[in-house]
Amino acid sequence: MRFSFAIIGGGLTGVSMIFQLVKRIRQKARSGQLDPSKINIQMFEKQAVFGPGFPHSENNALPCHLINMCAQDMGIISANPGDFQNWADSHRESIYNHYRAFFNESDLRQDCCDYYPRPVMGEYLKSRFGEAIEKARQLGLGLELYSRCEVTNLLEENSRVRLTFKNFNTGKRFSIHSDRALIATGHWLDHEERDHFFPSPWPPKTLVEGIPTGESVAIIGTSLSALDATLALTAEGEFHRDAKGVLTYVPASNPRNICLYSRRGRLPRIRGKTGDYKNRFLTPENVEKLTIENNGMLSLETIFHLLESDLEAAYGHRIEWTKILNPTASPIQLLKADIKDAKQGDGHNGALLRQTVLHRTLPFVRKLYTSLSAADRKRFDKKYATLFFSHASAIPLINGEKLLALMKSGTVDVVKLGDPYRFIKDASRGDYEFVYRTEQGMKKRRRHKYVIDARGQKKSYETNPSELAQNLLRSGTIQIEELPYLNHPESHDHMTEDPDGGIRIYRTGGMWIDPDTHHVVRKGIDGKKSISERIYAVGAMTRGQIIDASMAHASAVSTDKIAESLTGFLEKTQSR
């Protein structure tokens, strides 16, 4: 009897899973440790094509939408983060020929980083998926590929997993069984447009087709998704460099007028050059030592102290945190300064030291996050998560220059709303109004006919409107992670009970998993925690627990762990 493994989702995470699983099966088959003919892989994808998923499909991303991470960090192979860079290098001529009308080659290269339009990543994923399928067939692995099919339910029964799925071509529903399954469905979106209100900036063609030129558009949010929406809505205009090399924007004849709103008015940071400074304080070794000394837990204060020590060592002076956390300059002034820093750096050989220090932590940032107490996890999520991701996922210089050119041309404005503010739908006038106060205390009102919510995906998996998510939650097959508030010597929150006498908890919003193995975790009616042997989850659904869950290399590391575990299990069972 064949062992079956189901992969639900055929985007980046799903492709990483099948590629690395086939690779490990192949290695063990060569040494006679596994018989591939006894293994079956089932894979489900809502789109017609396996590989790109939603964000990297040419149907859902425009040429102006760049990947925000260096190509050398985007590979889907755990042991080779530069795999995407290597693939792109071998296809460099065709890539630039295709996108020459949209970018100069120099625009896509910054120091040691290459940035490519998202559909290029989609082509890479299709290529790696095709390789995995070809190798699987050569090995004699069983393959069942279900494109244009959406899994709608997943239940454990009789030591197996039953999957129910809907075929979009026929409208019919089917059920099959598997021995184990990976949930890799990625991000979720609300597609329902309501009275000129777009609940998501995706797909961008919906915005371009649904918002006429010349209209006034509000974009809620000032982060990566907001920038992508802005670039989509200004694509009719043209960018040029003047005699001094400064990027300028010439609007179309009847441009949309765009205003980006957020509480802090904080724009994405610009990626600079990573230098040669090696962290001396915020290191995996120090984190491991301190975690052991503090009974498996770290406080935010401890982490900030280590970070501050490294920054001071790198810069040679104390850090003024007030300027970093609460800058007083206008958004356009901050953007200009950020572009200057990205170009010139603030360290040896043009390195940007603050980003250098932070990037050294990315390989173990998951460990840092999961070691926090419930109180500190909640505090980080509320106060510092946006700041962290703005540096960890800094945008390429060309996108920063484009945003500055758009603001200088008067096409785009950025407003800091502060707190509190009001967002009102005026049914009588058929538009929307923002009511807020300036930093000088003046009351302001601004109206827009169209509004786009670009604040990014909501953190809680409970907001996922898909049939699968709702069925998984309803049946208890998956649960939301809940962290109890525990007394801890370094914690600044020693209360373990709420005023009514109940235990205080922090619901992270993420699908509850074991962060080391990615097995789904749940609590029974008896209150006891149990780990599912048959269901795994990797990706955006686990973001409340896995801080880097949406990063490509993090998915590669996670899926490779599962591949290693599965092949080890199969080796034992086949040898019996």
Side-chain angles (χ1 to χ4, degrees), residues 501-514:
I503 300 297
R504 296 183 64 201
I505 60 171
Y506 173 44
R507 288 174 60 83
T508 69
M511 186 186 292
W512 193 10
I513 62 166
D514 179 328

Side-chain angles (χ1 to χ4, degrees), residues 25 48 62 93 101 194 221 243 246 258 313 318 386 444 493 509 547 552:
I25 292 173
L62 302 179
E93 186 175 351
R194 301 180 292 271
V246 176
I258 301 167
R318 290 187 63 82
T386 300
K444 297 274 288 186
D493 190 330
I547 190 172

Side-chain angles (χ1 to χ4, degrees), residues 101 184 279 332 388 398 540:
N279 289 12
I332 194 168
F388 167 78
I398 181 61

Side-chain angles (χ1 to χ4, degrees), residues 110-111 269-277 311 314-315 337-359 391 394:
Q110 182 184 346
D111 295 314
R269 305 308 297 261
I270 313 298
R271 177 73 180 254
K273 180 181 178 181
T274 300
D276 55 9
Y277 176 82
L311 289 171
Y315 281 106
D338 220 22
I339 290 173
K340 181 180 178 182
D341 281 350
K343 288 181 175 180
Q344 300 178 2
D346 54 13
H348 182 63
N349 289 331
L352 193 52
L353 294 177
R354 63 178 181 269
Q355 286 186 9
T356 299
V357 170
L358 184 62
H359 276 274
H391 285 274

Side-chain angles (χ1 to χ4, degrees), residues 224-441:
L224 304 181
S225 295
L227 175 57
D228 284 344
T230 300
L231 292 175
L233 292 174
T234 56
E236 289 94 348
E238 295 182 350
F239 290 96
H240 302 281
R241 290 200 182 272
D242 63 19
K244 295 181 179 180
V246 176
L247 197 70
T248 61
Y249 178 72
V250 180
S253 59
N254 188 29
R256 303 174 182 88
N257 295 302
I258 301 167
C259 188
L260 279 63
Y261 292 90
S262 72
R263 291 181 186 275
R264 296 186 179 184
R266 184 178 288 163
L267 295 169
R269 305 308 297 261
I270 313 298
R271 177 73 180 254
K273 180 181 178 181
T274 300
D276 55 9
Y277 176 82
K278 305 296 183 184
N279 289 12
R280 293 157 46 191
F281 302 94
L282 189 51
T283 64
E285 297 77 17
N286 282 346
V287 167
E288 183 68 23
K289 178 185 175 183
L290 289 168
T291 304
I292 293 171
E293 290 175 355
N294 291 280
N295 301 316
M297 195 177 293
L298 288 177
S299 70
L300 272 179
E301 281 67 27
T302 296
I303 296 172
F304 283 157
H305 174 69
L306 295 173
L307 174 62
E308 185 175 46
S309 297
D310 263 316
L311 289 171
E312 290 179 5
Y315 281 106
H317 58 75
R318 290 187 63 82
I319 303 301
E320 296 184 54
W321 284 104
T322 302
K323 290 183 178 180
I324 295 174
L325 299 176
N326 297 296
T328 56
S330 68
I332 194 168
Q333 289 172 330
L334 291 171
L335 181 58
K336 287 178 180 178
D338 220 22
I339 290 173
K340 181 180 178 182
D341 281 350
K343 288 181 175 180
Q344 300 178 2
D346 54 13
H348 182 63
N349 289 331
L352 193 52
L353 294 177
R354 63 178 181 269
Q355 286 186 9
T356 299
V357 170
L358 184 62
H359 276 274
R360 301 292 185 216
T361 71
L362 292 182
F364 59 98
V365 69
R366 185 181 303 188
K367 171 68 174 176
L368 287 172
Y369 188 65
T370 55
S371 296
L372 292 174
S373 68
D376 275 348
R377 182 97 69 92
K378 181 177 181 180
R379 190 152 62 104
F380 176 85
D381 290 345
K382 186 175 182 180
K383 293 185 177 181
Y384 303 111
T386 300
L387 184 65
F388 167 78
F389 282 110
S390 71
H391 285 274
S393 300
I395 63 175
L397 176 61
I398 181 61
N399 277 354
E401 290 182 305
K402 282 185 174 182
L403 182 55
L404 180 59
L406 288 166
M407 293 173 73
K408 283 183 173 180
S409 73
T411 307
V412 173
D413 191 13
V414 178
V415 169
K416 178 180 178 180
L417 291 169
D419 198 6
Y421 72 91
R422 288 190 298 156
F423 171 57
I424 306 164
K425 177 183 177 182
D426 190 335
S428 62
R429 295 181 50 159
D431 62 11
Y432 299 85
E433 183 179 50
F434 289 84
V435 183
Y436 61 98
R437 290 189 180 276
T438 66
E439 293 185 282
Q440 293 73 36

Side-chain angles (χ1 to χ4, degrees), residues 183-228:
I183 303 171
T185 48
H187 295 274
W188 57 91
L189 300 170
D190 183 353
H191 294 286
E192 184 184 357
E193 180 191 342
R194 301 180 292 271
D195 299 326
H196 299 161
F197 181 88
F198 296 81
S200 164
W202 308 108
K205 290 179 181 178
T206 303
L207 306 182
V208 176
E209 295 169 359
I211 303 176
T213 57
E215 290 291 353
S216 175
V217 185
I219 298 179
I220 306 176
T222 53
S223 60
L224 304 181
S225 295
L227 175 57
D228 284 344

